[in-house]
Amino acid sequence: MAAQKSAQPAPSSTRRSEKSRRAIYGAALALVGEVGYPRTTIEGIAARAGVGKQTIYRWWSSKADVLLEAFLDLSEQASRDAGPEYEFAIPDTGDLAADLKAVLRLTVDQLKDPRFEIPSRALAAEGVVNEQLGRVFVTKLLEPSLMLYVDRVRAAQEAGQVRPEVDPRIALELWVSPLAQRWLQHTGPISYEYTDTLVDYALYGIAPRTR
Amino acid sequence: MAAQKSAQPAPSSTRRSEKSRRAIYGAALALVGEVGYPRTTIEGIAARAGVGKQTIYRWWSSKADVLLEAFLDLSEQASRDAGPEYEFAIPDTGDLAADLKAVLRLTVDQLKDPRFEIPSRALAAEGVVNEQLGRVFVTKLLEPSLMLYVDRVRAAQEAGQVRPEVDPRIALELWVSPLAQRWLQHTGPISYEYTDTLVDYALYGIAPRTR
DNA sequence: ACATCGAGACGAACCGTCTCGTTTCATTCA
DNA sequence: TGAATGAAACGAGACGGTTCGTCTCGATGT
């Protein structure tokens, strides 16, 4: 379960200090939350963690890389805390619209949780400009969540609630992307009413229903 | 037409050197294109523009601010080049789906134009993390384009092609946001087929059409 | 034993501020 | 009209401060 290995680091060794690793994660997340991403420095993280700078440079390639792993660790920890065998998934009550609305409401709450907001904003921003990091961010954090929607949409297709020729991977973007963009770029407010509306539009379209 | 005034700067005066301003815009855009945003520095811009650092600090508050105005200037210039009285708008042939698909295809092309890609990526990224700049970016660049969709959707509503209770500002996000997210976060490929599909899903929904 | 550890010195790069003379330009006055 | 004037912006770059990433140090711990 543990041991994320990044691309380049891998100097070698099992002598690595677990205590330092955790202290670095904690310091990085704390600093980003307190002073923001741009003013979070490697030197600051090292000092706060009570660690030599070399210990950071030995195992990570950049500030963004440290924060990415710290955030991945936080996410894993959070999902472990949510229950030992609780696997997050989208409910299937048979009513696709209701299920999607329920999950999106949870997402809205999570997007507003300050514990997640600043680090994920920082990572998303870095990913926009740094394609390599962006791909890791998307692959490890975003894509797994999106696949849950793919599964749920496929189930709905089998239940005849979604047209069979619809591509689930594109369909999910009809509600995920608008929410993501409003959050990321501050292009509009985020509310339960908003996400409910998105689901309705996505399912039934904006054209008149009786053609 | 000229004279963008930023929020704070305003030291005073009409003695401002137009030549320096343009040289700074050019240097900023060139550097961002060549070495990327993070390695573009104020000192670098000043040197490249043949300008003293103070001249930059006098008129702009940050690297992001310089680049934002440079990009705004580039956009204005581009739309002037596109024709003296050519006002960009969404066509209205009476066929909403076709009109949207046509405009989105143009957008796809533009998103892949390297002249725009790197600076707008950099600005979008900065806007994610820097809310103040983000709002200017959204207000001055993004929102005006989105309003064109609002107008077109409203026309479609009057023509009975879109349900009257639909909120046009939310409707447009069904095709704009997915495209924006794929581009910004590299979450998927961008193609004409993709945007065509988005329009179809948005207009008619993903649920079976005959209920 | 030996690689990693905490600590911090080191030069380089930029930061943002601050003088320098120099240039530019609106105003003043011949 | 058209030279002289003076204030503000200008190019250049020195300056101290911060952070970078690299590099020694013993000390630690496995």
Side-chain angles (χ1 to χ4, degrees):
Chain A
M1 53 188 78
Q4 300 93 333
K5 288 149 199 165
S6 249
Q8 302 102 324
S12 75
S13 169
T14 56
R15 317 259 264 261
R16 180 169 181 182
S17 164
E18 181 69 12
K19 197 164 91 177
S20 297
R21 217 198 68 206
R22 309 209 70 81
I24 288 166
Y25 287 165
L29 290 172
L31 276 177
V32 162
E34 287 168 20
V35 306
Y37 181 72
R39 289 171 43 197
T40 295
T41 65
I42 300 255
E43 296 202 319
I45 295 171
R48 173 94 164 224
V51 140
K53 288 201 292 175
Q54 193 59 254
T55 302
I56 296 183
Y57 284 108
R58 179 152 35 229
W59 301 106
W60 293 279
S61 62
S62 67
K63 173 171 77 166
D65 198 34
V66 173
L67 192 61
L68 175 62
E69 285 197 15
F71 192 71
L72 284 169
D73 183 76
L74 178 66
S75 302
E76 284 179 16
Q77 187 182 315
S79 66
R80 264 195 302 274
D81 292 354
E85 220 39 60
Y86 170 77
E87 187 76 16
F88 179 73
I90 295 172
D92 189 346
T93 67
D95 181 344
L96 178 62
D99 293 347
L100 292 179
K101 287 177 184 176
V103 172
L104 283 174
R105 285 177 176 226
L106 290 180
T107 304
V108 166
D109 293 338
Q110 196 182 337
L111 289 179
K112 292 182 172 175
D113 178 346
R115 205 174 70 142
F116 286 90
E117 173 150 15
I118 294 184
S120 41
R121 276 209 123 77
L123 287 170
E126 188 69 18
V128 166
V129 139
N130 176 344
E131 182 161 349
Q132 196 231 321
L133 183 114
R135 293 202 183 280
V136 177
F137 175 78
V138 165
T139 305
K140 293 222 180 186
L141 280 169
L142 204 55
E143 218 44 66
S145 311
L146 300 187
M147 288 313 290
L148 302 176
Y149 285 109
V150 170
D151 294 341
R152 182 63 187 83
V153 169
R154 267 205 254 273
Q157 280 178 316
E158 281 161 21
Q161 291 173 346
V162 168
R163 297 200 308 278
E165 75 275 16
V166 162
D167 181 338
R169 181 48 236 253
I170 295 180
L172 89 254
E173 297 180 27
L174 294 177
W175 51 84
V176 167
S177 296
L179 179 60
Q181 191 179 25
R182 281 204 176 192
W183 178 73
L184 262 185
Q185 309 214 50
H186 314 101
T187 49
I190 288 172
S191 68
Y192 291 170
E193 297 73 36
Y194 169 63
T195 51
D196 286 357
T197 304
L198 284 175
V199 171
D200 289 333
Y201 289 2
L203 288 187
Y204 307 114
I206 62 173
R209 302 189 195 180
T210 58
R211 293 185 300 157
Chain B
M1 53 187 76
Q4 300 94 334
K5 288 148 199 163
S6 246
Q8 303 101 325
S12 76
S13 173
T14 56
R15 317 262 264 266
R16 181 169 181 182
S17 163
E18 180 69 12
K19 198 165 90 176
S20 297
R21 217 198 68 206
R22 309 208 69 81
I24 289 166
Y25 288 165
L29 291 172
L31 276 176
V32 162
E34 287 169 19
V35 307
Y37 181 72
R39 289 171 43 198
T40 295
T41 66
I42 301 255
E43 294 202 322
I45 295 172
R48 173 94 164 224
V51 141
K53 287 201 292 176
Q54 194 60 256
T55 301
I56 296 184
Y57 283 109
R58 178 152 37 228
W59 301 105
W60 293 278
S61 62
S62 67
K63 171 171 78 166
D65 198 33
V66 173
L67 192 60
L68 175 62
E69 286 198 13
F71 193 71
L72 283 170
D73 182 76
L74 177 66
S75 301
E76 285 179 14
Q77 186 181 316
S79 65
R80 265 195 301 275
D81 292 354
E85 220 40 61
Y86 171 77
E87 188 77 14
F88 180 72
I90 296 173
D92 187 348
T93 66
D95 181 345
L96 179 61
D99 292 347
L100 293 178
K101 287 176 184 175
V103 171
L104 283 174
R105 285 177 176 226
L106 290 180
T107 303
V108 167
D109 292 338
Q110 196 181 335
L111 288 179
K112 292 182 171 174
D113 178 345
R115 206 174 71 143
F116 285 90
E117 173 150 14
I118 293 185
S120 43
R121 278 207 120 79
L123 286 170
E126 189 68 19
V128 166
V129 139
N130 176 344
E131 183 160 350
Q132 195 231 322
L133 182 113
R135 293 200 184 282
V136 177
F137 175 78
V138 166
T139 306
K140 294 221 179 188
L141 279 169
L142 206 54
E143 220 40 70
S145 311
L146 300 187
M147 288 314 290
L148 302 176
Y149 284 110
V150 170
D151 294 341
R152 183 62 187 86
V153 169
R154 268 204 254 272
Q157 280 177 317
E158 282 162 22
Q161 292 173 345
V162 169
R163 297 200 308 276
E165 75 275 17
V166 163
D167 182 338
R169 180 51 237 252
I170 296 181
L172 93 253
E173 297 179 28
L174 295 177
W175 51 84
V176 168
S177 297
L179 179 59
Q181 191 179 27
R182 281 204 176 192
W183 179 74
L184 260 186
Q185 309 213 48
H186 313 100
T187 50
I190 288 173
S191 67
Y192 291 169
E193 296 74 36
Y194 170 63
T195 51
D196 286 357
T197 304
L198 284 174
V199 171
D200 289 331
Y201 290 2
L203 287 187
Y204 307 113
I206 62 174
R209 301 188 195 180
T210 58
R211 295 184 299 159

